[in-house]
Amino acid sequence: MPSRPAMLLRSLLLLAATATAAQKRGLEAGGPRQVQLIQHGQCSYTFVLPESRPCPPAPPEAPGSSNSLQRDLPPTENLGAWRAQRVRQLEKALENNTLRLQRLERYIQMNLRARLARAQQHVVQNQTATMLELGSNLLNQTTAQTYNVEAKVLNQTSRMEIQMLETSLSTNKLEKQLLLQSDELHRLQGRSSALETRLQALETQQQEDLASLREEKEQLQRLLGSHSGALAGLERSLRIASSNSSLLQHQQRQLLESMQRLVHVMAQGPAPMRAAGQVFQDCAEIHRFGATVSGVYTIHVANMSEPKKVFCDMETNGGGWTIIQRRMNGSENFQRGWKEYKEGFGDPAGEYWLGNEAIHQLTSRGTYSLRVELEDWEDHETYAQYERFQLGSEAQLYSLSLTGYNGSAGRQTSLRLQGTNFSTRDADNDNCLCKCAHLMSGGWWFDACGVSNLNGVYYEDGQHVRRMNGIRWHYFRGPSYSLRATRMMIRPVGA
């Protein structure tokens, strides 16, 4: 396929030939010239051509004269020679024009190549400048974006550094807390190890005590067996003597009757001066009627249908004390419910609780004082006495009311003086979110688990220390020492 410059050159040659022929005709015609503009692609070319004008009309001629063409033409006989000459002239002109066109082609080729080279260079320069301008713009935009990105990165880096510092501070705090907790854990582990050692020692001691108790039990059983044999022998001897002597039989009947009377008197109370049909309200009345021996008596509490068996202390501090609570050997279970604490339980000759309802009825009909006697495992005895003592009704949850403390059981009382309700394992009336009757055991005026509980678990000697649920009186032996024996007794003021 021919190149674009070759095609352009051929077109120019064709146009030049056409223009030359037209010029030749115009020159021969002798007429004026006209400028002809020819557009080829993006290039335009200008040619000067003779302007064709119509021939003017011929003037009238005289008859016998010829026109101008006829004047220019040779005679008829020379017409062939003239035409041949004219063709030679045209060929000569065409040859000259061909030479001119070749020179023009060479000139155009040289100039066109230079211009094309300059145009290409100019285009390359323009494109390079455009590319450089675009690159500069892109570089400026990239630089601005880079600055923005750098600023954002710096801001983000600053925030991250601040967060890392805060995290480091938090980590240091957590490490310190962890160290403190580790130290506390080590300390607790040490205490736990000491407690485990102590517990093992206590268990060993308990096992030894149980072994000694078993031995004592076996010894008692052997002793009882020997005594039973002796009694059986005495019984046989008595039967033999009874069969041999009617006098001995009569004495035996008298002895049996005396024993029955003694049992009846002991059941009714050791009041020798008791009048027939006399009813006593409390031990103070029995004492006023002449009873001076401490023991079990029968009283009739007002507003209660059944009589009550109580232990009366006729000796301590003037006598006449009604015992409402006694602990001495752990023979009675004090882990009872509300109803049992209300009605009372236990053996008046041993450990027992008189009953909240009986205490309420007694302290409601008169003014009573309260005396609390305590004994530890080192044979130390002490007491706490209150001038005024009263117990509310069941509807008032047997609330405690005390005034006028004195005694040797501590610089201050271990009982809350006013408004403390009674609580048991099935009736939580204390002021603690926990259930003190479950935590401390027994039934008592716990308040917020308090500093005393004389109805706690009974612990034997050697097991009575570090016991929060034992028989406690804080201001005597501390909050975790379980006492050996306790008594609570009431008496009318002035008796």
Side-chain angles (χ1 to χ4, degrees):
M1 183 176 180
S3 63
R4 183 178 178 185
M7 293 176 64
L8 180 61
L9 182 61
R10 290 174 185 173
S11 299
L12 289 176
L13 290 174
L14 180 61
L15 291 173
T18 305
T20 303
Q23 182 180 10
K24 186 176 181 180
R25 286 193 303 269
L27 290 175
E28 290 175 355
R33 300 175 183 179
Q34 74 176 33
V35 179
Q36 183 68 32
L37 180 63
I38 297 174
Q39 185 75 24
H40 183 76
Q42 294 182 353
C43 299
S44 59
Y45 302 93
T46 305
F47 297 95
V48 179
L49 301 176
E51 183 179 0
S52 61
R53 290 181 301 179
C55 295
E61 296 179 355
S65 64
S66 63
N67 56 19
S68 60
L69 179 61
Q70 289 176 350
R71 286 194 303 265
D72 291 336
L73 293 175
T76 305
E77 60 273 9
N78 295 327
L79 182 60
W82 179 83
R83 289 180 177 175
Q85 184 181 357
R86 190 67 175 169
V87 169
R88 285 192 298 271
Q89 291 176 355
L90 290 175
E91 288 177 353
K92 185 66 175 178
L94 182 59
E95 183 179 357
N96 292 332
N97 287 333
T98 302
L99 293 175
R100 288 194 200 96
L101 287 175
Q102 289 177 353
R103 289 195 297 270
L104 179 61
E105 181 180 2
R106 289 192 295 272
Y107 175 76
I108 289 173
Q109 287 179 354
M110 293 178 63
N111 288 332
L112 184 61
R113 288 175 182 174
R115 289 182 181 179
L116 285 176
R118 287 195 298 272
Q120 288 177 356
Q121 184 178 3
H122 181 68
V123 169
V124 170
Q125 290 177 354
N126 290 338
Q127 290 179 352
T128 304
T130 304
M131 293 298 292
L132 289 174
E133 184 177 1
L134 290 176
S136 177
N137 293 333
L138 290 175
L139 181 61
N140 292 332
Q141 293 178 359
T142 305
T143 304
Q145 292 178 357
T146 304
Y147 289 154
N148 293 333
V149 171
E150 288 180 354
K152 292 180 179 178
V153 169
L154 289 175
N155 293 334
Q156 188 68 20
T157 305
S158 300
R159 287 196 295 270
M160 292 178 66
E161 289 178 352
I162 294 172
Q163 291 178 356
M164 289 177 66
L165 289 174
E166 293 177 352
T167 305
S168 177
L169 293 175
S170 301
T171 304
N172 292 333
K173 291 181 180 179
L174 290 175
E175 288 178 353
K176 291 180 180 178
Q177 292 178 358
L178 182 60
L179 289 175
L180 292 175
Q181 290 179 358
S182 298
D183 294 339
E184 184 68 17
L185 181 60
H186 291 321
R187 187 176 65 83
L188 291 176
Q189 287 177 351
R191 290 189 62 185
S192 177
S193 299
L195 290 174
E196 288 178 357
T197 305
R198 179 63 178 169
L199 180 60
Q200 291 176 357
L202 291 175
E203 289 178 351
T204 304
Q205 185 177 0
Q206 183 181 9
Q207 291 176 358
E208 292 176 355
D209 293 341
L210 288 175
S212 62
L213 289 174
R214 290 192 188 97
E215 292 178 0
E216 292 179 1
K217 181 180 178 181
E218 292 175 357
Q219 292 176 1
L220 289 174
Q221 287 177 351
R222 288 193 297 269
L223 184 61
L224 181 60
S226 63
H227 287 173
S228 298
L231 288 174
L234 290 175
E235 186 178 359
R236 287 192 299 270
S237 299
L238 181 61
R239 281 198 297 268
I240 293 171
S242 297
S243 62
N244 293 332
S245 175
S246 59
L247 179 60
L248 186 59
Q249 291 177 357
H250 178 68
Q251 290 176 353
Q252 186 180 4
R253 285 194 299 269
Q254 288 180 348
L255 180 60
L256 183 59
E257 290 175 359
S258 298
M259 290 180 65
Q260 289 177 351
R261 285 195 300 269
L262 179 60
V263 171
H264 179 71
V265 170
M266 290 181 65
Q268 295 299 322
M273 298 179 63
R274 177 180 176 187
Q278 180 67 41
V279 175
F280 300 108
Q281 181 79 19
D282 56 20
C283 293
E285 291 185 357
I286 298 174
H287 185 263
R288 282 197 299 269
F289 271 86
T292 58
V293 179
S294 299
V296 178
Y297 292 84
T298 301
I299 62 173
H300 294 264
V301 182
N303 299 323
M304 297 190 69
S305 58
E306 297 294 332
K308 298 287 291 186
K309 294 286 186 180
V310 297
F311 190 92
C312 295
D313 186 336
M314 301 300 186
E315 302 168 3
T316 301
N317 195 21
W321 293 98
T322 302
I323 307 299
I324 64 173
Q325 186 261 18
R326 183 159 65 172
R327 307 292 296 275
M328 54 192 299
N329 54 17
S331 60
E332 191 65 40
N333 180 21
F334 275 70
Q335 312 309 308
R336 307 294 185 102
W338 180 267
K339 182 179 179 181
E340 292 171 295
Y341 269 99
K342 172 185 175 181
E343 297 175 353
F345 55 85
D347 181 9
E351 293 190 339
Y352 78 105
W353 179 262
L354 178 61
N356 288 335
E357 187 63 29
I359 300 171
H360 162 65
Q361 296 296 338
L362 285 173
T363 58
S364 297
R365 73 180 186 89
T367 304
Y368 278 74
S369 60
L370 171 67
R371 181 181 177 90
V372 180
E373 293 184 345
L374 310 170
E375 181 183 351
D376 63 13
W377 290 94
E378 288 75 29
D379 297 328
H380 299 137
E381 297 181 356
T382 187
Y383 75 96
Q385 192 157 331
Y386 302 87
E387 295 179 0
R388 298 288 187 272
F389 165 66
Q390 186 176 7
L391 201 63
S393 64
E394 184 177 14
Q396 296 170 331
L397 303 177
Y398 297 122
S399 61
L400 183 65
S401 176
L402 295 170
T403 57
Y405 165 76
N406 64 81
S408 58
R411 55 185 174 83
Q412 66 186 70
T413 176
S414 293
L415 277 174
R416 185 175 177 84
L417 298 179
Q418 297 293 329
T420 305
N421 299 326
F422 196 84
S423 293
T424 60
R425 63 188 181 186
D426 58 348
D428 182 27
N429 300 316
D430 55 51
N431 294 322
C432 182
L433 294 177
C434 61
K435 293 184 178 182
C436 296
H438 285 270
L439 184 64
M440 301 298 179
S441 74
W444 193 250
W445 300 278
F446 287 108
D447 187 38
C449 294
V451 291
S452 65
N453 176 18
L454 300 186
N455 292 335
V457 177
Y458 191 93
Y459 288 101
E460 297 288 345
D461 187 18
Q463 302 176 0
H464 61 281
V465 293
R466 297 186 180 90
R467 300 293 184 179
M468 296 300 296
N469 62 342
I471 303 172
R472 301 183 301 117
W473 194 269
H474 178 81
Y475 292 108
F476 175 41
R477 290 305 307 267
S480 60
Y481 184 100
S482 184
L483 300 173
R484 177 180 181 179
T486 65
R487 290 201 308 172
M488 297 176 66
M489 57 186 75
I490 60 175
R491 183 177 66 180
V493 175

